Every structure is written in structure tokens, then in C-alpha cells.
Amino acid sequence: MNFAITLLEKFSDTLNPIVVKELRQAVQGRFFSAILMVFLGVLLLTMGLFLTSQTVTQSFDAGRNMFSVLLGILLGACLLFVPAYTGIRLASERSDANVDLLFITTLRPRSIIWGKFLAALVLTVLLYSACLPFMTFTYLLRGVDLPSIFVLMAFTFILAAVGIQCAIVLGCIPANRVFRLILGVAWLVFLVVTVIPAFIALMIFPGALFSSGIGSQIGSWEFWRGALSVLFSGLALISLLGLLAIALISPLSANRALPLRIFVTGVWLLTGVGVAIWSIAINKVNPVAQWGSLHVHLYSIGLFIAVSERERLGQRLRQSIPRRRWLRLLAFLFYSGAAGGVVWSSLMILLTLSSIVVWGILFPHMWSGGTTFNDSLGVMIVMGLYAFSYPLGASLIRRRFLANRVAGGYTWVIAIVLLGFTTMIIPLILFFVSGTWEREWLIGSPVGVTFAFALNATDLRVLVFNSLKIAIVCAVLVGVLSVPWFVRQIRNFQPPNQNPATETKTNEPS
């Protein structure tokens, strides 16, 4: 008995204190208890109304239909309430009034973020365990098998985990109350817009999977190839968002960008090899094309974030800069800093586009159908050039005209305003002046080309060609004007000079 108590005490000492605190407050509080009771009530009411229908005894798909409805309710609860509960609590601790609760602690930022995430994940597991008896009951109503039930619940659990991590990132963003309110409303609108189509898809998606016999395919490689891809993508996205949240709450003197950029670079390499093998196995270009588009968009967002980083490094960070020149050039890409972030993101976009070009040359037969290789590559190039032009243009505007009014951390806001101006303001002005709408008015924005490519427009090639010319001019112009800014930061990226005369000399061994 004493051994068990000692073992339990040692185990409790190893637990993350954030997890213990969050779960204790969630259990003792009223909010999550009320949500759980309402959730169970909705499940009981839904199942009761469904069982009173006369079609239950006549239809062979009654279990499938009930499972789809219950799964949509479960996913909606996990995407709305648990992330909101976690994000609001973290944002309140991140606020200026309660900043001591987050920063005056011996815990590392990594322990805080992953503790919050694990606590929210345990609450999600609690909701899933409450819903699991209702899910398994649908097996008795025919039309659904138990392996398919568990597979779909695991898939939605990954989506819920990603939603929790997104809420944690939003809660870590340093901003005032007004901006936090705007972010909260935008996130709520995004969730509502996302959950409703997801609920409709869950009414159709399980039926298609059940018809294809997903439960009987668990022993096949095709099933595990897709399942492992979803699992790896979910873990990579959760880890990426977690590292981003850690960087947001880390002190300014820390090297925030180093672990994030190393992780993303490793994911780029591993996923590139994986989709290449997948594409060769199925003899289709879709995995490689989707991989390229996803990474171009990811590093485009990274450019907006990079220009908002600091331009002057602190003394603590400079002391960790390598003294060898070739190591210093490599470290410049991965260390915190606006210029280094811009160069790293631009280089990753260039490497992604180069990989697509090499793939198109090696396997030209894979590109078939309505969209050609040149069209897909052209859209990606336009996206990358515009993603380079808007943030750097915003940085130029801030440094030359708004240096004393706008802090460097809000450069991305200026870039978003520029993007909105070319995407909405200019086309609307031209529309009111001419009275007709032309798609060519969006050639100054990546939005027009992206929509035209998604809709498979007939004039896609002309639109891409015109947008490419404007994007090249903008990128070259902004890049040339930013050369002094890059040179200045590259020169300043060096360790501090050691002055031997100021060092204390002692007889103690070093």
C-alpha cells in the first residue's frame, strides 16, 4: 500500500501543473458542467425524436443516419465550446491586467502551452466518452458497423484537437481588448461558417464511407495510407500551431523563430518525400500539386509574420550567434529577425516552386485534365510574388512614413490594408465608374487568380499571364528598395565584440 502511494505521488509530481490546475478549475466550475449537461440533453432529445419516427423500423439506414446527426452535434460542441473555453481563459491571463499570472512563473512557455492543450484535450475526451454510448447504440439500428464508427470518431477528434490549438494561438496574440474582441468575433464567424458545412458534410460523408465499406478496408494498405496521412497532417499542424503559440508568449529576448523554422523546414522535407512516393504509387500529380499549393500559401502567411518581427536583436540573442561566417549565414535564416524571416520564407517558396518544376519535367505524363502544368505553376508563382511584395511594401511604408506612429509588430496590419485596397477598394471604384464588372480588375491581388483557378475559369491563362507581369514588376521594385534594409540587418547580425580589458581576471580555472 505504501509503495502504491509513493508511486502515485511520484507520478503526480511529474504531471504538468497547468494540466492539473485547468482540469481542477473546469471540474469545480459551472461552465463546463453546464455544457456537459446540455450536451447530454441534446443527445438524448435527438435520439428520442429519431426513435419515435416510423422510418426507424422500416429503413436499413436508420443507424447510419442517426450516427451522422450525432457525429455532427459532437463535432460542433467540440469545435465551439471547448476551444472557446480554453482560448478565453488564456486570453484573460495574457491580458495586461493579469500579466503576472502568465509571466511571473518558473514554468517554461512550452509547459504552459502544452499544459493548456492537454487539459482541453482531456475535456474533449470527456465529451467523446459521454457521446460514445449513443454512437455504439446506432450499431443496433443497422446501416453502420463498429469499425467505421471508431474511424470517423477518431477523424473528428483530430479536427477538434486542431481547433483547440487554433484557439490557443489566438489567445496568445498580444493585443488590446478591442483587437482581441475583433479577433474573437472573426474566429466565431469562421467557426460558424465552418461548422455548418462540416455538419452537412458529416450527413453525407459517413454514408459514402459506409457504402464503400470502410470498416472492411482496415486491413488494406489503401486505408492505412490515407489514415496515416490524416494523422501525420493533424500532428504536424498541431505541433506547428503549438510552436507558434510558444513563440508568442516567449520573452522578447528569446530566439522565438528558431524551433518554429527548423520544424517547418523538417516538415517540408518529410512531406515532400511522402507525397512524391504517393504520387508515383497512384501515377497522379494531385498529391504533389496540393503539397506545393499548401506550402506556398503557408510560407506566404509566414512572410506577413516575418516583416512584423523585430529588426534589432537583443544582447542575449546576439551572444548565441555563431562566430564562424558560414554558420552565421545559416543561422541568419533561422534566428529571429525580420530580414531573416523574409529571406527564409522566400527561399522556402522558391524551393517549393523549383520542386514542382522538377517534378513536371520528370513526370510530364501525370499532368492531364482541364488544368495544365503551366497554369498550376503560374498560379503558384503569382501567389509567391504577391506574398513577397505586399509585406515588404508594407514594411517600406511603415519605415518611411509611419515609423513614429506604428510599431514594427503591426506591419502585417498595413500589409492586410494594402491587400484589401487592391482586392476590394480599387475594383469597387472601377465598378461604380464603368457600371460593369471585369475579372481583370483583380490582377493586382492574388485573390483574383486564386478564385479563377479554383473555378477553372476559361480565361485563366490570360489572367495568370497579366497578373504575373504585374507581380514581377512589384516584387522587383519592392525588393530593390528594400536592399539597404536587408544589408543593414545582415551586417548587424553578428555576435557582440568581446573586450578582454573589461573582463575580470582571476586565478580560478575557466
Side-chain angles (χ1 to χ4, degrees):
M1 186 65 180
N2 294 331
F3 175 76
I5 295 176
T6 304
L7 186 62
L8 184 61
E9 289 179 352
K10 290 183 178 181
F11 176 74
S12 62
D13 292 338
T14 59
L15 290 177
N16 192 317
I18 299 296
V19 178
V20 178
K21 178 182 75 72
E22 292 292 326
L23 291 179
R24 183 179 299 162
Q25 292 181 354
V27 172
Q28 295 177 353
R30 297 181 179 179
F31 177 80
F32 190 78
S33 300
I35 292 300
L36 183 60
M37 297 304 297
V38 172
F39 177 68
L40 290 174
V42 171
L43 292 179
L44 285 172
L45 180 61
T46 303
M47 179 165 286
L49 294 175
F50 205 94
L51 292 177
T52 56
S53 176
Q54 297 180 356
T55 59
V56 175
T57 59
Q58 301 174 0
S59 175
F60 288 95
D61 297 332
R64 177 191 306 178
N65 298 332
M66 181 183 290
F67 173 79
S68 301
V69 175
L70 294 179
L71 189 63
I73 295 173
L74 175 62
L75 182 61
C78 293
L79 287 179
L80 288 175
F81 298 109
V82 179
Y85 175 79
T86 306
I88 291 174
R89 286 180 57 83
L90 182 57
S92 63
E93 296 175 0
R94 178 72 166 153
S95 63
D96 296 335
N98 300 321
V99 68
D100 294 346
L101 299 176
L102 188 60
F103 291 107
I104 302 180
T105 177
T106 58
L107 293 175
R108 293 173 295 180
R110 180 178 61 187
S111 300
I112 296 175
I113 295 302
W114 291 116
K116 296 280 186 180
F117 174 74
L118 291 177
L121 208 62
V122 171
L123 298 179
T124 305
V125 171
L126 182 61
L127 291 178
Y128 268 76
S129 62
C131 188
L132 187 58
F134 298 91
M135 295 294 192
T136 54
F137 180 76
T138 60
Y139 171 71
L140 304 176
L141 300 179
R142 297 169 300 184
V144 61
D145 57 315
L146 290 178
S148 301
I149 290 176
F150 296 137
V151 168
L152 288 173
M153 291 189 69
F155 175 73
T156 55
F157 184 79
I158 295 175
L159 292 180
V162 173
I164 292 171
Q165 201 66 282
C166 290
I168 291 176
V169 172
L170 290 178
C172 292
I173 294 178
N176 52 33
R177 293 183 178 180
V178 177
F179 192 71
R180 287 181 184 275
L181 181 61
I182 295 174
L183 284 177
V185 173
W187 176 248
L188 181 61
V189 173
F190 174 76
L191 282 181
V192 172
V193 174
T194 304
V195 168
I196 293 177
F199 181 81
I200 298 175
L202 286 173
M203 298 290 292
I204 305 173
F205 185 60
L209 291 180
F210 294 148
S211 301
S212 62
I214 185 175
S216 62
Q217 298 177 7
I218 293 182
S220 63
W221 166 243
E222 288 76 12
F223 169 81
W224 287 108
R225 182 176 59 191
L228 291 176
S229 300
V230 173
L231 179 61
F232 181 79
S233 301
L235 292 177
L237 185 56
I238 291 171
S239 302
L240 174 62
L241 294 173
L243 291 174
L244 181 59
I246 293 171
L248 288 174
I249 68 170
S250 297
L252 294 176
S253 58
N255 193 0
R256 297 179 172 185
L258 180 61
L260 187 62
R261 292 177 187 170
I262 291 178
F263 176 81
V264 173
T265 305
V267 169
W268 177 87
L269 181 60
L270 292 177
T271 54
V273 174
V275 298
I277 297 174
W278 190 354
S279 182
I280 294 175
I282 64 177
N283 198 25
K284 292 182 180 180
V285 77
N286 295 340
V288 174
Q290 294 174 3
W291 171 83
S293 177
L294 177 63
H295 279 274
V296 168
H297 284 80
L298 176 63
Y299 301 123
S300 298
I301 298 175
L303 283 168
F304 282 79
I305 299 175
V307 294
S308 302
E309 295 188 32
R310 54 182 174 174
E311 300 179 4
R312 297 181 180 179
L313 303 181
Q315 187 72 12
R316 176 183 173 185
L317 185 56
R318 291 182 59 192
Q319 289 178 353
S320 63
I321 297 177
R323 296 189 175 277
R324 295 184 179 181
R325 186 177 297 274
W326 66 275
L327 288 177
R328 193 185 311 165
L329 293 176
L330 183 62
F332 179 76
L333 299 176
F334 293 92
Y335 272 45
S336 295
V342 171
V343 174
W344 175 80
S345 299
S346 303
L347 183 61
M348 295 304 296
I349 292 176
L350 181 61
L351 289 175
T352 303
L353 295 175
S354 301
S355 301
I356 299 297
V357 171
V358 172
W359 193 261
I361 295 174
L362 294 178
F363 304 97
H365 62 279
M366 291 186 181
W367 294 88
S368 61
T371 304
T372 63
F373 170 74
N374 294 329
D375 294 336
S376 301
L377 182 62
V379 172
M380 295 182 190
I381 294 176
V382 170
M383 187 70 187
L385 291 174
Y386 275 136
F388 178 82
S389 303
Y390 278 96
L392 274 186
S395 180
L396 285 171
I397 293 174
R398 186 194 63 81
R399 293 197 310 270
R400 299 197 176 188
F401 304 103
L402 303 172
N404 298 327
R405 297 181 181 181
V406 179
Y410 293 96
T411 307
W412 64 274
V413 178
I414 303 176
I416 294 293
V417 172
L418 290 177
L419 182 60
F421 188 78
T422 57
T423 305
M424 299 179 61
I425 305 300
I426 294 180
L428 286 177
I429 293 175
L430 295 175
F431 172 74
F432 286 118
V433 171
S434 63
T436 58
W437 175 259
E438 299 292 340
R439 188 178 296 168
E440 288 75 11
W441 295 340
L442 292 173
I443 60 175
S445 171
V447 178
V449 180
T450 304
F451 282 162
F453 179 76
L455 298 175
N456 197 15
T458 56
D459 57 344
L460 175 63
R461 182 163 299 180
V462 177
L463 188 63
V464 169
F465 181 73
N466 294 332
S467 299
L468 184 61
K469 292 189 293 185
I470 297 178
I472 291 175
V473 173
C474 293
V476 171
L477 179 62
V478 172
V480 170
L481 294 177
S482 301
V483 168
W485 179 69
F486 280 106
V487 173
R488 183 170 60 251
Q489 293 199 50
I490 292 175
R491 289 179 177 177
N492 293 333
F493 188 80
Q494 56 184 346
N497 296 324
Q498 298 291 336
N499 189 359
T502 61
E503 297 181 355
T504 302
K505 296 183 179 180
T506 62
N507 295 326
E508 299 179 358
S510 57

